Amino acid sequence: MHAYWLSIVPFIVVIPIAIITKQVLPALALGLVVGSYLYSPHWIGGIQAAVNFVITALVEKSNIEIILFLYIFTGLVGMMKQTGGIKGFVKWSAEHVKTKKQALFLIWISILGTFSSPSFRMVTIGPIMRALIDKVNISAKELGYVIETTGTPIIALIPVATAFVGYMTSIINVSLKNNHITGDPYLLFIHSIPYNFFSFSIILLGIYFGFFHHDRKKVKHTAIPENEVQAKAKGWEDCHPVVAKELPAKSINLLVPLILVIVLTLLLTYISGVKHGGSGFQTFIKADVLNAMLVALIISTFLAFFFYLIQRFRLTDLMNAFFEGANNLMTVVALLSIVWGLSLVTNKLGFATFVTRHVSWIPPAFTPPVLFILGAMISYFIGSSWGTWGILMPLGVAMAHTSGASLPVIVGAVFASGAFGTFSSPLSDDTNTMAGVLDLEAVSYAHYKLKSGLIAAGVSAIGYLLVSFIH
């Protein structure tokens, strides 16, 4: 009898290694290699198999589109920085916001222009808020908290024009294929959005703590050498590289490209949906959204180049800024490639069959809350929502397929579990980016956020249990 249990060995390797080392990429890479040697047990066969699995994943059309979208988008953000678009927005906002309510309102309204990715949002709105700490009656930790509750939790719910939607759709697609389930991954993502209970819970808590509650608990300021520049900077200028003194301040260079990307994405998505026979809201469901987003982004990037050249920015500087920004994403490209490869090798080892044979005893009603709690623990210890989603989504879809649990609820629970770690973990990029911009000590700041994170997680777990009984 085939040893299907071998298919879980890569996950048994990945999870503890990621937790112990606090590094997702090496853990996933080791899991891929281990799985590949189990599939091809020869001294060089395992490495060859690992390479082949990654290449097979990379040549798939949707995966290439995701990588291109992320690479080009971060390159465009690099040009926005170089041409002073981000700095201009920061300067204008810092000069016009006078009160705490105005500051909080700006944080929320700025979602309209910075929803594309959490890191982009933080480096845009964070320096503005840093300049206002001494100007309005609000603390750095409260500002960071509100910014983060309007970051990943909201962006994970937006189905178009974000750096998340391509990746989220991709791992759903891979998981469906591994379990031989026919379905539209993007449509499943849309249906899962109402079940991302953690995002909704933490957003509501963010509104309460931001506007109606004042916490006087102290959060330590950083003494880490790499943050000394930020700590010594006065006001908003030079507190982050995107607002360096040598850069111009032209907010139009941020707004025009962003508006182009959003408008063209919606337009091309609609056109694609019409071509595929959609009408009304079904137009956006039937569309090839990822392709529309990529084409819209490419057109917007070309137009942005011309827009900046007209302002007499040097082409060489623009190209350098584009590739410097885009190349910062190579770690994410590597992460995606290994996640896709790992998913393929575990599928070849019979992961879906193993789950079918060994977890059918779990009541369907308990599958979503158990997955959420497991994912929340993993994401807290590794500090990565994307890493958690890549590890847990294949397991979640397989368990849903076996137990009969609702697939949208399961997918929503997996995405919610990753959002918990990104918000609450002292290891997450969001926590450390926000702490760096606002001159806070990351561990102390993360501890400050943990209470509300646990409240939202508790509400979410109960919600999954109740919804599962209803389904």
Side-chain angles (χ1 to χ4, degrees), residues 345-359:
V345 71
T346 54
N347 182 50
K348 288 289 186 181
L349 291 171
F351 179 67
T353 304
F354 174 83
V355 172
T356 301
R357 291 184 178 182
H358 294 88
V359 302

Side-chain angles (χ1 to χ4, degrees), residues 125-146:
I125 200 71
I128 303 172
M129 296 301 105
R130 188 183 189 279
L132 299 175
I133 290 173
D134 297 326
K135 202 173 177 183
V136 300
N137 185 27
I138 192 168
S139 68
K141 66 182 184 297
E142 289 174 308
L143 282 173
Y145 178 89
V146 176

Side-chain angles (χ1 to χ4, degrees), residues 116-346:
S116 49
S117 81
S119 58
F120 175 57
R121 175 161 173 68
M122 287 179 190
V123 300
T124 303
I125 200 71
I128 303 172
M129 296 301 105
R130 188 183 189 279
L132 299 175
I133 290 173
D134 297 326
K135 202 173 177 183
V136 300
N137 185 27
I138 192 168
S139 68
K141 66 182 184 297
E142 289 174 308
L143 282 173
Y145 178 89
V146 176
I147 293 172
E148 283 205 63
T149 56
T150 60
T152 294
I154 288 181
I155 293 168
L157 303 175
I158 299 175
V160 294
T162 75
F164 276 28
V165 64
Y167 176 71
M168 297 169 86
T169 304
S170 167
I171 57 173
I172 294 174
N173 186 42
V174 169
S175 301
L176 291 177
K177 287 182 177 179
N178 287 353
N179 289 277
H180 308 291
I181 300 173
T182 303
D184 185 332
Y186 180 72
L187 184 57
L188 180 54
F189 168 57
I190 296 290
H191 288 163
S192 77
I193 290 174
Y195 301 108
N196 189 335
F197 293 153
F198 179 82
S199 287
F200 288 112
S201 299
I202 203 67
I203 290 168
L204 291 175
L205 284 171
I207 293 173
Y208 169 72
F209 282 110
F211 288 94
F212 307 108
H213 179 77
H214 185 70
D215 191 344
R216 300 194 178 276
K217 184 178 179 181
K218 298 292 184 181
V219 175
K220 295 178 182 178
H221 285 266
T222 185
I224 302 173
E226 55 263 34
N227 287 331
E228 282 182 355
V229 173
Q230 295 157 347
K232 292 177 181 177
K234 293 184 178 180
W236 54 271
E237 202 166 33
D238 265 350
C239 74
H240 194 277
V242 299
V243 289
K245 283 184 179 178
E246 65 269 17
L247 295 177
K250 296 186 175 183
S251 56
I252 193 171
N253 290 341
L254 166 69
L255 298 175
V256 169
L258 278 181
I259 291 171
L260 279 173
V261 171
I262 295 168
V263 171
L264 286 175
T265 296
L266 294 174
L267 177 63
L268 294 181
T269 300
Y270 178 81
I271 293 172
S272 174
V274 170
K275 285 184 178 178
H276 287 85
S279 61
F281 182 72
Q282 289 291 320
T283 303
F284 292 93
I285 294 176
K286 288 184 174 292
D288 185 348
V289 180
L290 185 57
N291 183 262
M293 288 173 61
L294 176 60
V295 174
L297 177 63
I298 291 173
I299 294 172
S300 301
T301 303
F302 276 120
L303 292 176
F305 264 111
F306 287 115
F307 180 63
Y308 296 146
L309 287 172
I310 290 171
Q311 299 177 54
R312 299 183 181 274
F313 286 101
R314 295 174 56 203
L315 180 59
T316 301
D317 293 337
L318 293 176
M319 293 296 293
N320 289 339
F322 177 87
F323 285 109
E324 182 180 349
N327 288 337
N328 287 333
L329 200 77
M330 292 314 296
T331 301
V332 175
V333 172
L335 173 66
L336 287 171
S337 303
I338 293 172
V339 165
W340 293 331
L342 179 62
S343 181
L344 286 178
V345 71
T346 54

